[in-house]
């Protein structure tokens, strides 16, 4: 679920929307939300009666996992940020 965050590093205080990878979402749903990011599935685990659990993606040479953040700026540009970097540089806007 997208939430609003403010960048705390630097001086610009950029406002972004961000969410972590949802492992219960179908691969196709994630790809629809972030079409310009080129994914390759690392591994999936099928549920007996439903969707696949995405265990990770390749994005370029990076592996995207449940701790990876998808960040979207006000112009709609998307990029990924690892969990530690995100927590050090962004704060939730109430």
């Amino acid at each position: 679920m997208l939430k609003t965050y403010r960048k705390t590093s630097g001086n610009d205080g950029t406002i972004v929307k961000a969410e972590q990878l949802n492992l219960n979402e179908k691969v196709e749903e994630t790809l629809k939300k972030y079409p310009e990011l080129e994914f390759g599935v690392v591994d999936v685990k099928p549920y007996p009666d439903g969707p696949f659990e995405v265990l990770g993606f390749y994005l370029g040479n990076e592996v995207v996992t449940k701790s990876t953040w998808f960040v979207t700026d006000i112009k709609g540009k998307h990029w990924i940020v690892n969990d530690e970097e995100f927590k050090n540089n962004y704060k939730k806007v109430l």
Side-chain angles (χ1 to χ4, degrees):
M1 174 184 224
L2 281 173
K3 295 185 179 175
T4 304
Y5 295 85
R6 180 183 305 278
K7 187 170 184 182
T8 56
S9 63
N11 296 324
D12 62 3
T14 302
I15 299 291
V16 298
K17 299 281 187 178
E19 67 180 341
Q20 286 184 293
L21 177 64
N22 181 348
L23 296 181
N24 294 314
E25 193 171 74
K26 290 184 179 179
V27 174
E28 296 82 15
E29 292 171 5
T30 301
L31 295 175
K32 283 180 192 175
K33 290 194 299 188
Y34 304 104
E36 73 278 10
L37 300 178
E38 294 183 14
F39 294 104
V41 174
V42 173
D43 195 11
V44 294
K45 179 176 74 177
Y47 290 121
D49 60 346
F52 291 93
E53 177 182 7
V54 177
L55 302 178
F57 293 106
Y58 284 118
L59 181 56
N61 292 326
E62 288 191 60
V63 174
V64 178
T65 65
K66 67 180 179 180
S67 63
T68 302
W69 288 85
F70 292 95
V71 180
T72 305
D73 68 14
I74 60 171
K75 295 179 182 177
K77 180 181 175 187
H78 304 293
W79 66 94
I80 61 168
V81 178
N82 71 47
D83 190 49
E84 182 179 346
E85 182 182 340
F86 188 84
K87 288 178 179 176
N88 288 334
N89 293 296
Y90 293 89
K91 297 293 180 206
K92 188 175 175 186
V93 174
L94 302 175

